[in-house]
Amino acid sequence: MTLTADRFDVLLEVEPVYLRGSFSVRASGGTWLVEPPFPIVVGSWTGQGYPFYPGAFRYSYSVAVPEQAASVHAVLPTAFEATGCAIYVDGRRVGLIGVDDGGRADLSPYLKAGTHDVAIRVCGGLKNLLGPHHDPDRSRRTAWPNMWRKAPKFGRPAAESYDLIAYGLGDHVRFEAVLNS
């Protein structure tokens, strides 16, 4: 996308442009390239073509619960980045995980013996979409007007130098069952 004007005018102040649709984005040679979308896998969304995505992705699992299970817990990996995670069992939202629970959710009331579909909905945040992108020395969990003042003195900043949060699951969710003796 290129925007041109015959002459500068105070009315030409350009606001941010947001692209919507099915595509992925990657940094290459200092610029951002728009490409066809890729399916998401476990890992950071920023390296999978979704560095500015503020929404959520679902990670789905098939969980086999044995007859002798006394309890079943979902355990988030230690390496994950999200603003929130919801957990679904057989299509029904049963709660949040990763909020004041040490990354563990007791699924025992929802998982009886048999095979179940369990999904974790991992939510990103607006920081990667809205910024600030050019001051990694600042706090990463807040945004104040003054934080947008630091930028390269000359030219457009290289795409690879953007300060982005690596939203996503760093590894697979574990499911642990405690068996009756």
Side-chain angles (χ1 to χ4, degrees), residues 40-45 48 56-61 118-122 167-173 175:
I40 198 77
V41 295
V42 170
S44 166
W45 304 344
Q48 297 183 60
F57 284 108
R58 275 186 189 230
Y59 298 84
S60 298
Y61 298 90
V118 178
I120 308 294
R121 183 175 184 262
V122 178
Y167 291 114
L169 288 178
D171 202 351
H172 286 286
V173 174
F175 296 93

Side-chain angles (χ1 to χ4, degrees), residues 29 32 40 43 105 134 141 146 153 161:
W32 295 104
I40 198 77
H134 308 297
R141 301 293 184 257
N146 195 37
K153 293 195 184 296
S161 70

Side-chain angles (χ1 to χ4, degrees), residues 82-94:
T83 58
C85 297
I87 191 159
Y88 295 77
V89 174
D90 295 327
R92 184 173 139 226
R93 184 172 157 228
V94 298

Side-chain angles (χ1 to χ4, degrees), residues 80-165:
F80 83 97
E81 190 68 57
T83 58
C85 297
I87 191 159
Y88 295 77
V89 174
D90 295 327
R92 184 173 139 226
R93 184 172 157 228
V94 298
L96 300 175
I97 184 171
V99 181
D100 296 332
D101 59 11
R104 294 179 66 86
D106 183 3
L107 301 180
S108 304
Y110 314 103
L111 295 178
K112 304 304 177 202
T115 302
H116 299 273
D117 295 320
V118 178
I120 308 294
R121 183 175 184 262
V122 178
C123 300
L126 292 173
K127 193 274 184 198
N128 288 1
L129 177 65
L130 302 176
H133 295 119
H134 308 297
D135 192 358
D137 298 329
R138 296 275 187 171
S139 171
R140 300 187 87 204
R141 301 293 184 257
T142 61
W144 299 99
N146 195 37
M147 298 174 96
W148 275 265
R149 292 183 186 207
K150 186 173 181 181
K153 293 195 184 296
F154 301 101
R156 178 178 61 197
E160 292 84 359
S161 70
Y162 275 49
D163 177 38
L164 299 170
I165 294 176

